[in-house]
Amino acid sequence: MMHPINRTLVAAAILAGSALAAGSALAGSFGGAQPTKEHYGVIFHIDAGDEATIKKTLTNVENLLHDPRFKGRKLEVELIANSKGFGVYVKGNGFEKRLRELQHDGVLLAQCSNTLREQHVDRNDLYPFISIVPSGMGEIAIREAEGWAYIHPSPPESQL
Amino acid sequence: MMHPINRTLVAAAILAGSALAAGSALAGSFGGAQPTKEHYGVIFHIDAGDEATIKKTLTNVENLLHDPRFKGRKLEVELIANSKGFGVYVKGNGFEKRLRELQHDGVLLAQCSNTLREQHVDRNDLYPFISIVPSGMGEIAIREAEGWAYIHPSPPESQL
Amino acid sequence: MMHPINRTLVAAAILAGSALAAGSALAGSFGGAQPTKEHYGVIFHIDAGDEATIKKTLTNVENLLHDPRFKGRKLEVELIANSKGFGVYVKGNGFEKRLRELQHDGVLLAQCSNTLREQHVDRNDLYPFISIVPSGMGEIAIREAEGWAYIHPSPPESQL
């Protein structure tokens, strides 16, 4: 079944005599989406609390901050934890330094308050420098409505 | 590497003599994003069918509905199931009451029709009060293009 | 707690004498969101590299392309791989044919360059017809800011 996706590319492939040509052309010319806005926002979602998921998620946030495409643009980032994801903010979890560095770079570190109640977590068990928000779900809904991107890294296999 | 993120906060930290001050200021002042729109839409994605994933996802939907930030605003919500996520709608799965309550609160309960074919699921094995849509992927694509937020809770570790 | 969601439906339920009526009415009348735009964009995120996740993700992409609701509209699609998700592009993984078909249909096949460095992957170990982008996270952020939908299928249980 053929859809009208990128008719130009398909036409180019036909002209070139093969579909492969289109593929090669694409790989050759495409080097990533180019930013056109002055302001970007991204909310990262973490809802698993094992060490591998925390590591992966923080690395993802750091890689976003370091993407050269945002140089000279405003980039707002928030990390929202709910469900077992509160583990990213538990005192003594070994991630305090990386969290502080992210916060120093402007990343908002937010924890869902419903989770604290549902998972019987004391706010004092979490780093004092994080913020509590009414609900993680509401936080994501509002951010995306503001035009922020949503990124939810999946828990890695190594959690097993 | 330093990016132009929240220059104001960083400047505040410098004035206060440390980056930690910025962190504390943040934690102290930030209590969650504030809604500015009259209308919000959220599509939840479920594509795993184990009991723990279903419980977690439904709790997430309920927590969104109860976030006080949406009081007095229009909030449209849809739960789209595809792949093994059809389990959320299988008759006798123990979640009928919660699903009916969500639907009573206006949540659209939608099932991908491709999944029924691919996973050999009879529509009559699903609750009669759910809706079948052409594809779960198309449903998400259209909703996000309408400005709805996308939230995909991850399958919890307890599924193992 | 009652929110102002779909007051009309709830009113209909009251008129009909039960909340169940609203549910049935919904299931009966709702057949999926209707497209209103001429142009849609979707970025799929893959960050696990097991065979089951790859299969599921590619099937999800294919199902989007085949959704009849996009017939006659422009649909742009990109698959971005980061973390262990680079597995989808490793030579000899058995998915070359499906990837080439997706590319032939206009799907952009993109790999995060940070991942290659962090996971010690040689670009030559990946199919030559894929594209390398500065960061997977930046790619997603830019696409969503452009109005593209984000879809991240979860790794299936069968990966275990």
Side-chain angles (χ1 to χ4, degrees):
Chain A
M1 181 169 167
M2 185 67 190
H3 276 266
I5 307 159
N6 281 337
R7 284 186 190 288
T8 319
L9 279 167
V10 175
I14 292 165
L15 283 173
S18 81
L20 247 86
S24 305
L26 257 174
S29 61
F30 182 68
Q34 291 308 307
T36 58
K37 300 181 183 295
E38 290 308 307
H39 178 193
Y40 287 85
V42 180
I43 186 159
F44 281 88
H45 184 189
I46 183 167
D47 62 354
D50 58 290
E51 192 179 336
T53 299
I54 296 174
K55 265 189 194 166
K56 179 179 175 179
T57 302
L58 297 185
T59 299
N60 283 179
V61 176
E62 291 157 0
N63 280 343
L64 175 71
L65 297 181
H66 295 153
D67 189 311
R69 288 178 287 184
F70 299 108
K71 201 146 194 166
R73 300 171 197 275
K74 186 177 177 188
L75 177 61
E76 289 185 281
V77 179
E78 181 170 344
L79 174 62
I80 177 70
N82 79 307
S83 191
K84 298 292 186 192
F86 73 84
V88 68
Y89 296 141
V90 170
K91 282 178 186 169
N93 65 356
F95 292 99
E96 179 170 359
K97 189 164 173 288
R98 286 176 78 176
L99 289 171
R100 285 193 184 275
E101 285 171 358
L102 287 175
Q103 191 171 60
H104 177 262
D105 284 347
V107 176
L108 287 166
L109 304 175
Q111 169 62 47
C112 170
S113 70
N114 289 317
T115 300
L116 301 186
R117 192 185 63 248
E118 291 164 7
Q119 309 266 345
H120 310 291
V121 179
D122 190 322
R123 196 261 176 267
N124 292 319
D125 292 337
L126 305 183
Y127 293 119
F129 54 84
I130 65 154
S131 301
I132 311 292
V133 302
S135 84
M137 297 302 107
E139 195 69 12
I140 295 168
I142 293 171
R143 288 310 191 190
E144 289 195 65
E146 287 175 345
W148 288 37
Y150 168 78
I151 301 180
H152 190 177
S154 66
E157 300 168 57
S158 53
Q159 80 178 80
L160 306 176
Chain B
M1 182 169 165
M2 184 67 190
H3 276 268
I5 308 158
N6 282 338
R7 283 185 191 289
T8 320
L9 280 167
V10 175
I14 292 165
L15 283 174
S18 81
L20 246 84
S24 305
L26 258 175
S29 60
F30 182 67
Q34 292 309 307
T36 57
K37 300 181 185 294
E38 290 307 308
H39 179 193
Y40 287 85
V42 180
I43 187 159
F44 281 89
H45 184 190
I46 182 166
D47 62 355
D50 58 290
E51 191 179 335
T53 298
I54 296 175
K55 266 189 194 168
K56 179 179 175 179
T57 302
L58 297 186
T59 299
N60 282 179
V61 176
E62 291 158 0
N63 280 343
L64 174 72
L65 297 181
H66 295 152
D67 189 311
R69 288 178 287 185
F70 298 108
K71 201 147 196 168
R73 301 171 198 273
K74 185 176 176 188
L75 177 60
E76 290 185 281
V77 179
E78 180 169 345
L79 173 63
I80 177 72
N82 79 308
S83 192
K84 297 292 186 192
F86 72 84
V88 68
Y89 297 142
V90 169
K91 282 178 187 169
N93 66 356
F95 292 100
E96 180 171 358
K97 189 164 173 286
R98 287 176 77 176
L99 289 171
R100 285 196 184 273
E101 284 171 358
L102 287 174
Q103 191 172 58
H104 177 262
D105 286 346
V107 176
L108 287 166
L109 304 175
Q111 169 62 47
C112 170
S113 71
N114 290 318
T115 299
L116 301 186
R117 193 185 62 248
E118 292 164 5
Q119 309 267 345
H120 310 292
V121 179
D122 190 322
R123 197 263 176 264
N124 293 319
D125 291 337
L126 305 183
Y127 293 118
F129 55 84
I130 65 155
S131 301
I132 311 294
V133 303
S135 84
M137 298 303 106
E139 194 70 11
I140 295 169
I142 293 171
R143 289 309 193 189
E144 289 196 65
E146 288 174 344
W148 288 37
Y150 168 77
I151 301 181
H152 190 177
S154 67
E157 299 168 57
S158 53
Q159 79 179 81
L160 306 177
Chain C
M1 183 168 164
M2 185 67 190
H3 276 268
I5 308 158
N6 281 337
R7 284 185 191 288
T8 320
L9 279 167
V10 174
I14 292 165
L15 283 173
S18 80
L20 247 86
S24 304
L26 258 174
S29 60
F30 183 68
Q34 292 308 309
T36 57
K37 300 181 184 295
E38 290 308 308
H39 178 193
Y40 287 85
V42 180
I43 185 159
F44 281 88
H45 185 190
I46 183 167
D47 62 354
D50 58 290
E51 192 179 335
T53 298
I54 296 174
K55 266 190 192 166
K56 179 179 176 179
T57 301
L58 297 186
T59 299
N60 283 179
V61 176
E62 291 158 0
N63 280 343
L64 175 72
L65 297 181
H66 295 153
D67 189 311
R69 289 177 286 185
F70 298 108
K71 203 148 194 165
R73 301 171 198 275
K74 186 177 177 188
L75 177 60
E76 290 186 282
V77 180
E78 180 169 345
L79 174 62
I80 177 72
N82 79 308
S83 191
K84 298 291 185 191
F86 72 84
V88 68
Y89 297 141
V90 170
K91 282 176 187 170
N93 65 357
F95 293 99
E96 179 171 359
K97 189 164 173 288
R98 286 177 77 177
L99 289 171
R100 285 195 184 274
E101 284 170 359
L102 286 174
Q103 190 171 61
H104 176 262
D105 285 346
V107 176
L108 286 166
L109 304 175
Q111 169 62 47
C112 170
S113 71
N114 289 317
T115 299
L116 300 186
R117 192 184 64 247
E118 291 164 7
Q119 309 267 344
H120 310 292
V121 178
D122 189 323
R123 197 261 177 268
N124 293 320
D125 292 336
L126 305 184
Y127 293 119
F129 55 84
I130 65 155
S131 301
I132 311 293
V133 303
S135 84
M137 298 302 107
E139 194 69 12
I140 295 169
I142 292 171
R143 289 307 193 190
E144 289 196 63
E146 287 174 345
W148 288 36
Y150 168 77
I151 301 181
H152 190 177
S154 67
E157 300 168 54
S158 55
Q159 79 177 81
L160 305 176

